Amino acid sequence: MSSLFKNIQQEKCPSCSKDKVFSTKGNVFLFKMPLMKEKCSNCGFRFEKEPGYFTGAMYISYGLCIIEMVTIFMLFQLTTIHSDYLIYFLSLTVILLWPFNFRMSRIIWMYLI
């Protein structure tokens, strides 16, 4: 079970756990999307099985975003920063973590399906 979480964290192929799924991680500041490989170079596993395959990954991305926002909200409650700035911190968190959410949601979806 711990190897499953390790493979998800390291973004490894769900079939052989040898090759990485993404060739680039993406960059928020350069407006670059993460680039996913078509198939595993080790075992030939196709990452995108059909058009629309990753539609369900949107729900996982939404869940990750909610977890991040709740965490920021809880940390915000522990500080003395005025709560009027909360929306700025939440927005900044979502913007900065979108490449991470994009990659993780697709990886988790591949491991689930």
Side-chain angles (χ1 to χ4, degrees):
M1 186 63 105
S2 66
S3 65
L4 174 72
F5 291 118
K6 183 180 174 186
N7 289 339
I8 289 173
Q9 180 189 15
Q10 294 177 350
E11 301 172 0
K12 299 286 185 167
C13 171
S15 180
C16 68
S17 303
K18 303 279 186 220
D19 195 20
K20 292 208 172 253
V21 174
F22 289 91
S23 55
T24 63
K25 291 190 178 255
N27 191 328
V28 174
F29 303 110
L30 299 175
F31 301 106
K32 299 244 180 178
M33 289 283 293
L35 233 152
M36 193 167 82
K37 298 177 184 176
E38 272 189 48
K39 60 183 179 175
C40 178
S41 61
N42 187 50
C43 68
F45 180 81
R46 285 186 47 85
F47 296 128
E48 187 169 1
K49 295 177 181 19
E50 60 190 22
Y53 174 71
F54 289 112
T55 304
M58 291 187 309
Y59 297 106
I60 295 172
S61 179
Y62 177 73
L64 290 172
C65 201
I66 293 297
I67 290 169
E68 294 158 1
M69 285 184 172
V70 167
T71 304
I72 293 296
F73 176 77
M74 298 302 254
L75 291 172
F76 213 83
Q77 295 301 314
L78 296 173
T79 66
T80 58
I81 301 172
H82 197 268
S83 62
D84 289 343
Y85 299 111
L86 177 62
I87 191 69
Y88 300 118
F89 281 98
L90 291 175
S91 300
L92 186 64
T93 301
V94 169
I95 291 168
L96 291 178
L97 291 177
W98 75 260
F100 171 78
N101 289 341
F102 180 84
R103 290 190 326 267
M104 280 299 116
S105 64
R106 285 186 171 220
I107 294 289
I108 293 169
W109 185 251
M110 280 192 285
Y111 273 86
L112 284 176
I113 302 298

